[in-house]
Amino acid sequence: MTLMLIDDDVPMLEYVEYLLGSLGLELQLAASASSSEDALEQFHTVLPDLVIIDIGLPGMDGLELADAFRITKPEVRLIFLTCYEDFHYSKRAIQLEADDYLIKDELSPEQLKSSLSKAMSRFKSREELLERYSFRQAIERNKEVLKQSFLKQLLSGTADQENTLEFGERLGISWKLPYLRHGFLHMDAASVTERYRYKDIPLIHFAVNNIALELSAEEASITPIMTRASDIYLVWNVADPGCPGNVLAEFMQSVRDKVEQYLKITLRGYYSEASAPLRNFDALYKTLTESRDYNFYNAVTPVAALEEHADFGQPAEWRGDKERGMLSLSLEDHNAAWIDLAINPWTQQVTSERLQPRLVKEICGNFVRQLAFEAGGLTEEEFFTQLDQAVHIDEAARLTKRELRNLWRQHTLAPVPAAEKDIRLQEVDRFLEEHVDQMVTSIDMAEHLHLNASYFSRYFKKLSGVNFTDYVNQYKMNMAITMLTRPHETVENVAYTLGFSDRAYFSKVFKKYSGKNPSEYKTGQAVEGSAEE
């Protein structure tokens, strides 16, 4: 350790230095100073571990210097020297956590050795404490990475189980009960991208994990671990392998509620009903991973037990000409509603046929690649990553439609001219685009805009000049006219696609707004096409 001496009495400095040589302590004299200014300069240069300092220095006294030293090096140990006893000085020295307060006239080798030994011991203890604190801080900063390393060791099957569990204990993971049960919380990427950017996803993932960790402090048997995908892996330590999974399900629901409250995104929770001892950890984890797709077509629920098995249909030859044509039409017709008209029926079709989730994601990716090519737009690579990690058909479809609309906007939207449609009507059109296959009423629209229904109806007519029902029907009939111009398109399919369950009613509405019934319009188009040929 290093020592610094400070006293404006030079003979006293020499005397203390002389005594040091006979004490046999592992202590090196690093600097000595006889003025406050010199002391400050030398202290910042050598940063000693211990300082023997005269209280009664001219200028800055010893106590003021000690304050300055502590700011630069908080762990420095202090021994004060003075020619007289003064309670005020003693009290101030105690406040500075001085190791001793020595009277110069009474200073002896034994007394100096005792004071220095005590100071050295306290410095070592403080240093060890700081090292432990620094180690704990390093663990906290890197805890999630270390947890992933812990998980990797458990899954390797080659690591020493006892050492791995000891490593887990240092990370705060303590599994004392004999069985483990697994589950995971999944961030719904479609809900995340409605509010955040793709590049924000790692930060949102970290925030979700923090919420899970906070709630796991109340339920110590559950351990959350971040994974490389946008999931939080959960391990529940249980005594009985046959116990119901309500504790894990309730924990998932509490995390989900808090995430919805603070981050405004949706989590899906899945848990396995199987338990296993630690020695079978890797097999249990593998089963959990393989069963991620088994709930792909099940009804959307916040928290669900994972199916043990799922039968998926054999893929028929799929070209997707119809859907691809509709996506192309969204660019030609400058109408994003064609995107929903393409994706929504296709989603229903693959759900009824229970197509392999892997193939569904592949097809969704191809839809996006096609439109990106035709629109000359750019798709963020993170979209494909999130699509690949989707756990439900609804998530995959919503994520795909959102990306298709982004590409459509890149291609279609230009700077808004002054005479363009009112921005409030643009919001109405956007809602109709996204619900073009449904019968949207003024009540639906008012709820979307958070307005009173009767007020909205009056306000809308004043804004647009027509009532809302006429506006919606005209919007849909314009689309119907475009659809009926396509070869081999049927009136029944157009009616169904636009949300009409009854062909007769659709024909009545069509004639009202176009002047012809759909069959006459279809026939007229066919005759015109033949004449042109």
Side-chain angles (χ1 to χ4, degrees), residues 168-411:
E169 290 278 356
R170 297 181 74 182
L171 299 175
I173 301 171
S174 182
W175 295 337
K176 303 297 184 185
L177 301 176
Y179 295 95
L180 300 171
R181 188 174 291 185
H182 300 225
F184 67 93
L185 287 163
H186 174 76
M187 285 168 45
D188 184 290
S191 75
V192 175
T193 53
E194 285 173 5
R195 186 170 290 268
Y196 305 98
R197 298 164 298 179
Y198 281 118
K199 68 179 183 180
D200 296 326
I201 287 178
L203 183 62
I204 303 302
H205 189 196
F206 190 77
V208 171
N209 186 63
N210 280 346
I211 290 173
L213 287 171
E214 178 188 327
L215 293 174
S216 70
E218 302 169 14
E219 184 51 73
S221 62
I222 296 175
T223 303
I225 302 175
M226 282 179 70
T227 66
R228 296 191 183 280
S230 299
D231 291 339
I232 308 295
Y233 173 56
L234 300 173
V235 183
W236 181 27
N237 192 208
V238 296
D240 179 8
C243 65
N246 58 304
V247 172
L248 190 56
E250 288 168 5
F251 174 80
M252 289 179 168
Q253 186 63 54
S254 63
V255 176
R256 187 180 185 275
D257 291 345
K258 204 160 189 177
V259 165
E260 176 116 8
Q261 178 185 356
Y262 291 110
L263 301 176
K264 310 300 182 189
I265 66 170
T266 301
L267 290 188
R268 300 180 191 273
Y270 296 96
Y271 62 91
S272 170
E273 294 185 316
S275 302
L278 183 62
R279 65 178 178 274
N280 295 335
F281 185 93
D282 55 339
L284 196 64
Y285 185 85
K286 184 180 179 183
T287 301
L288 179 80
T289 303
E290 290 174 346
S291 61
R292 281 174 62 94
D293 283 346
Y294 294 166
N295 291 59
F296 194 73
Y297 294 109
N298 290 5
V300 176
T301 53
V303 177
L306 282 165
E307 300 286 342
E308 294 183 0
H309 180 70
D311 291 319
F312 295 117
Q314 294 298 317
E317 183 180 357
W318 182 88
R319 296 176 60 190
D321 292 340
K322 179 180 176 182
E323 290 81 9
R324 291 176 184 276
M326 286 184 172
L327 293 178
S328 298
L329 198 55
S330 72
L331 302 179
E332 296 168 16
D333 199 32
H334 300 284
N335 193 335
W338 290 108
I339 292 170
D340 286 78
L341 290 176
I343 303 301
N344 290 352
W346 176 81
T347 302
Q348 294 171 10
Q349 179 186 345
V350 298
T351 300
S352 65
E353 295 176 0
R354 294 181 66 83
L355 194 63
Q356 281 278 357
R358 174 183 56 80
L359 292 174
V360 170
K361 296 172 189 178
E362 182 181 316
I363 293 167
C364 285
N366 288 339
F367 282 145
V368 169
R369 290 185 183 93
Q370 174 204 326
L371 201 66
F373 176 78
E374 293 185 10
L378 296 173
T379 299
E380 291 188 61
E381 194 60 36
E382 187 63 23
F383 159 75
F384 296 102
T385 300
Q386 296 302 320
L387 177 64
D388 185 59
Q389 294 169 4
V391 299
H392 196 274
I393 180 64
D394 176 69
E395 178 187 7
R398 284 164 51 230
L399 194 63
T400 301
K401 286 193 290 185
R402 184 171 184 80
E403 194 63 24
L404 290 169
R405 287 195 196 98
N406 287 340
L407 291 166
W408 179 86
R409 290 188 190 101
Q410 288 179 40
H411 176 270

Side-chain angles (χ1 to χ4, degrees), residues 457-502:
S457 295
R458 294 193 304 273
Y459 177 81
F460 184 84
K461 187 164 186 178
K462 182 179 178 181
L463 184 67
S464 65
V466 296
N467 65 46
F468 185 72
T469 301
D470 283 337
Y471 188 88
V472 173
N473 285 337
Q474 186 64 66
Y475 180 90
K476 289 196 174 192
M477 293 311 106
N478 289 340
M479 296 198 70
I481 288 170
T482 304
M483 292 177 75
L484 289 170
T485 60
R486 302 176 67 200
H488 312 300
E489 186 62 87
T490 65
V491 175
E492 288 82 0
N493 187 61
V494 172
Y496 173 75
T497 302
L498 293 174
F500 291 86
S501 57
D502 182 80

